[in-house]
Amino acid sequence: MTSFKQLEGLCERLYWLIRLRWIAAASVFLTVLLTGHIFKFSLPAFDLYAASTALGVYNLVFFVLLKSIKGKESFVIVNRIANSQISLDLLSLAVLIHFSGGIENPFLFYFIFHMIIASVLLSKRASFLQATFAVLLFSIMVSLEYFAVLPHYCLKKFIIHDQQHNLTYISGVSFVFISTLYIAVYMATSISGRLKQREKVLGEANLQLEEKDRIKSEYVLRVTHGIKEHLSAIQGCLEPVSGGITGELNAKQFDLVQRAVRRTAKLMSFVKALLQITRIKLSKEMKMEYFSLRDSCLEAINDTSAKAKAKFISVNFTMEPGIGPIRAAREYIQETLTDLLVNSIKYTPPRGKIDVGLRNRGSVILIEIADTGIGIPKNELPRIFEEFYRASNAQVAERDGTGLGLSIAKRVVEMHSGRIWIESEEGKGTKLNIELPK
Amino acid sequence: MSANAKILIVDDDPDIVESMKVILESKNYQVSVAKTGEEGLRKVRGEAPDLVILDVMLETGDKGFDVAREIKWDPQYKHLPILMLTAIKEKTGLDFMKEAGDEQWLPVDDYCDKPLHPGELVSKVEALLNKR
């Protein structure tokens, strides 16, 4: 589990590095263009363009490579990709530095950035090896320029120049450069090592919490089950009495029995909601199938039509083209849609309006349920998905409610890697949005 | 056809049994009761009921399924309608009695969630008895 998270983290950082490299390649390109045309430096523009193009090309290769191994990646392979990316970056930087002033180029110290990146991505040992590789590249460049095997390019007008044969200067810069690289790697690996350690500890603590939460949910499930069993029997015994099967009741008896029936029914719906959310919490996987969201919406509207009609609320359905079947846990989605619609009807005053819509949003389908109901006070919106939380105006409008409906919906949507959010204005209405991946 | 039909209730919860008995007897059915799966099977063979109402949770969590299977496997009783009392749909979202061959198929003719509403119980019982 932890190693999977580490792998995920490494991949994420590699994508970040790739994004940075696009910027770097473009910056080099622009810098060469500017210095050549505006400042009229005599730089070997062709070589520098070629180097930045190479940077872009291998960046693309790594991007494609990283995408293609998605899913079947192993830590060793991704780690190897990270190492080779950094080595290639060092090589590119060395080439760029060589063509733009060699040892005189203050951009030499850009190697530090690469050392920091290496320390974040790689192990301590690998980071020091990369630092040594950078020192090696630097030494080769300086030596070859010193012995005039390679030409030396000057940044005339910009900084001091023609120092490629000045041994004192070379030794000074080399000492500062090399020591800076190693100190940077030492510091960055220490910090990143500590962070990695803390990440690991947090990961383990999180696993323990999840386990405790599971135990708690199982406890709730057992208790609620026990309550439901007794409640079923109470309801079972009350129903024939209140229904007159056991004989006619007088008015007072009937009234009291009706009260008992109503209260047990409310308790039962609470117990059922609690069972439902606990089961969802405990379920590791749901049975997924392809089905039409349009049918599910229409079924939910149909199932709740009696409740809507009783309050003269009109419920409309619209759908954008291009929405095909979706792969999801049909029963859960169906139930969620029905529950949400019941909720909307409950908190919409008579003669109101509810619009149910399916929108096509590229890789996701957006389900909207917009009502002209009492809305949710703005300061209570952040808490609205909490278990057992009920908005203050909802409690006034409807004394009974479990405060579990929206938390159940949230659980279901999140188990589908979807998103649920609410837009609402008190007194005007509420719009519920659910985004499900196609 | 269905009046005076014999109904066997197999359930170990005496209060649920009593409430069902009251409802069914008010519709003039003859009701007999078994508290365990074994007793249920014995009474199926001994009393030849017209319908069995079977609780899914007998002695163990799902003993009701075993009892249902045993009844349906017996050629003599394979047409005996079984109404299973279970909250399975609420638990799993499965409509389990639809088709033979389905992974979730179970040998019952209909099912009813607890708590039982008198109207629902009577209409299901009547429908099953009329289907025979």
Side-chain angles (χ1 to χ4, degrees):
Chain A
M1 191 77 181
T2 319
S3 83
F4 174 73
K5 275 190 180 149
Q6 275 179 351
L7 182 61
E8 217 177 16
L10 183 59
C11 283
E12 228 170 78
R13 287 183 194 129
L14 284 181
Y15 279 118
W16 163 73
L17 187 55
I18 286 173
R19 282 198 298 278
L20 281 184
R21 204 175 287 115
W22 290 126
I23 299 171
S27 308
V28 171
F29 212 85
L30 275 175
T31 313
V32 178
L33 201 71
L34 282 175
T35 45
H37 285 83
I38 298 170
F39 302 109
K40 307 283 179 213
F41 287 164
S42 52
L43 283 173
F46 174 78
D47 301 291
L48 287 168
Y49 284 140
S52 70
T53 310
L55 196 64
V57 169
Y58 79 73
N59 201 27
L60 188 68
V61 171
F62 279 121
F63 180 72
V64 173
L65 198 63
L66 213 53
K67 279 262 180 239
S68 70
I69 58 160
K70 202 182 175 196
K72 47 192 170 193
E73 64 241 1
S74 75
F75 200 79
V76 182
I77 295 173
V78 178
N79 206 32
R80 210 167 281 164
I81 292 179
N83 261 300
S84 29
Q85 283 199 47
I86 287 165
S87 298
L88 270 174
D89 283 342
L90 294 175
L91 186 65
S92 312
L93 185 59
V95 170
L96 286 169
I97 298 277
H98 161 66
F99 283 117
S100 57
I103 191 147
E104 296 150 10
N105 191 341
F107 285 114
L108 197 57
F109 285 88
Y110 269 33
F111 272 106
I112 295 171
F113 300 141
H114 293 74
M115 293 303 105
I116 293 170
I117 290 170
S119 308
V120 173
L121 292 177
L122 308 176
S123 68
K124 197 169 186 165
R125 189 171 153 269
S127 306
F128 275 103
L129 279 175
Q130 293 284 4
T132 310
F133 182 57
V135 169
L136 191 71
L137 286 171
F138 167 80
S139 312
I140 291 171
M141 176 192 77
V142 173
S143 312
L144 291 179
E145 288 188 22
Y146 177 78
F147 294 111
V149 179
L150 282 177
H152 175 72
Y153 301 94
C154 289
L155 286 173
K156 275 178 188 148
K157 291 188 261 179
F158 182 44
I159 41 169
I160 51 157
H161 48 85
D162 290 325
Q163 299 297 314
Q164 71 273 26
H165 302 300
N166 179 347
L167 257 185
T168 320
Y169 180 81
I170 292 174
S171 330
V173 170
S174 300
F175 177 71
V176 175
F177 175 74
I178 293 169
S179 58
T180 309
L181 282 200
Y182 281 114
I183 292 170
V185 169
Y186 170 73
M187 285 182 159
T189 49
S190 309
I191 295 169
S192 114
R194 244 175 272 166
L195 285 177
K196 277 176 194 161
Q197 187 59 33
R198 188 164 301 173
E199 200 176 17
K200 205 177 144 200
V201 171
L202 281 177
E204 278 161 12
N206 199 29
L207 276 186
Q208 277 178 359
L209 276 179
E210 276 172 18
E211 174 62 12
K212 278 189 181 151
D213 197 48
R214 194 186 58 76
I215 292 169
K216 190 203 77 190
S217 292
E218 269 169 7
Y219 170 78
V220 173
L221 193 69
R222 273 202 301 277
V223 172
T224 323
H225 237 295
I227 296 174
K228 193 190 165 212
E229 226 179 275
H230 297 299
L231 207 51
S232 287
I234 295 173
Q235 273 193 318
C237 294
L238 272 175
E239 294 270 10
V241 179
S242 79
I245 292 171
T246 51
E248 197 75 12
L249 298 175
N250 70 34
K252 198 64 221 165
Q253 286 169 332
F254 182 75
D255 175 54
L256 286 175
V257 172
Q258 275 309 111
R259 284 171 194 269
V261 167
R262 272 202 301 275
R263 293 302 281 262
T264 40
K266 274 167 193 165
L267 186 53
M268 184 54 105
S269 65
F270 178 74
V271 162
K272 278 187 173 175
L274 197 55
L275 276 178
Q276 195 187 356
I277 193 164
T278 313
R279 281 209 188 92
I280 293 171
K281 277 185 198 169
L282 284 171
S283 67
K284 285 189 183 69
E285 52 187 281
M286 293 190 278
K287 191 179 158 233
M288 306 291 260
E289 56 186 309
Y290 282 99
F291 63 94
S292 145
L293 259 185
R294 176 180 172 274
D295 291 351
S296 296
C297 286
L298 292 178
E299 206 173 313
I301 291 171
N302 191 39
D303 287 350
T304 54
S305 64
K307 285 194 170 80
K309 267 188 198 140
K311 287 177 84 177
F312 305 103
I313 293 170
S314 67
V315 183
N316 306 305
F317 175 73
T318 51
M319 177 173 146
E320 283 178 1
I323 298 176
I326 187 169
R327 190 169 182 275
R330 192 172 62 81
E331 293 281 349
Y332 281 105
I333 295 288
Q334 176 70 58
E335 219 165 306
T336 303
L337 289 174
T338 308
D339 291 349
L340 291 174
L341 210 51
V342 167
N343 232 15
S344 285
I345 294 169
K346 204 197 251 180
Y347 297 112
T348 298
R351 294 178 208 291
K353 200 175 141 215
I354 297 172
D355 288 312
V356 181
L358 288 181
R359 312 259 169 268
N360 196 353
R361 294 278 185 277
S363 61
V364 295
I365 296 177
L366 176 66
I367 308 168
E368 296 174 333
I369 303 177
D371 63 43
T372 55
I374 58 173
I376 300 161
K378 204 172 181 173
N379 60 337
E380 296 186 48
L381 268 176
R383 296 193 61 194
I384 203 68
F385 288 105
E386 279 176 26
E387 282 172 33
F388 305 110
Y389 186 82
R390 295 189 68 213
S392 53
N393 57 344
Q395 292 180 43
V396 175
E398 274 281 334
R399 209 169 67 93
D400 304 297
T402 59
L404 284 172
L406 284 176
S407 8
I408 293 174
K410 187 167 192 265
R411 285 266 170 188
V412 171
V413 171
E414 282 174 356
M415 282 191 90
H416 286 87
S417 312
R419 217 155 60 89
I420 182 168
W421 72 100
I422 279 184
E423 298 155 51
S424 182
E425 201 175 324
E426 201 179 352
K428 291 214 166 147
T430 301
K431 188 168 145 213
L432 213 127
N433 306 275
I434 294 175
E435 231 174 47
L436 290 176
K438 273 183 185 169
Chain B
M1 174 69 201
S2 64
N4 297 320
K6 272 192 277 183
I7 297 173
L8 172 65
I9 301 174
V10 189
D11 194 329
D12 56 359
D13 184 328
D15 301 319
I16 296 270
V17 166
E18 191 53 35
S19 66
M20 282 194 285
K21 214 172 153 212
V22 167
I23 295 165
L24 294 171
E25 282 176 349
S26 78
K27 297 285 174 190
N28 297 322
Y29 293 114
Q30 289 179 48
V31 180
S32 89
V33 177
K35 286 198 183 77
T36 63
E38 296 304 314
E39 194 188 347
L41 286 170
R42 234 184 8 253
K43 288 200 168 174
V44 164
R45 289 177 184 130
E47 299 177 0
D50 300 297
L51 180 132
V52 180
I53 297 176
L54 186 57
D55 182 30
V56 70
M57 307 234 293
L58 289 167
E59 299 95 285
T60 59
D62 54 358
K63 179 75 186 279
F65 291 152
D66 299 337
V67 175
R69 269 188 210 107
E70 202 154 323
I71 294 173
K72 293 284 182 181
W73 278 341
D74 189 330
Q76 205 183 331
Y77 300 108
K78 66 178 181 193
H79 297 299
L80 174 61
I82 299 176
L83 174 63
M84 174 90 68
L85 300 180
T86 171
I88 195 152
K89 194 161 182 212
E90 176 200 316
K91 262 188 217 170
T92 61
L94 294 169
D95 213 355
F96 64 82
M97 47 127 224
K98 283 303 178 208
E99 284 170 60
D102 248 16
E103 205 182 313
Q104 259 78 35
W105 181 79
L106 283 164
V108 299
D109 299 273
D110 202 352
Y111 59 94
C112 201
D113 190 8
K114 284 184 188 176
L116 293 142
H117 295 285
E120 192 189 357
L121 177 65
V122 169
S123 68
K124 290 207 173 206
V125 164
E126 273 173 8
L128 286 178
L129 286 173
N130 288 334
K131 229 167 56 179
R132 280 182 310 160

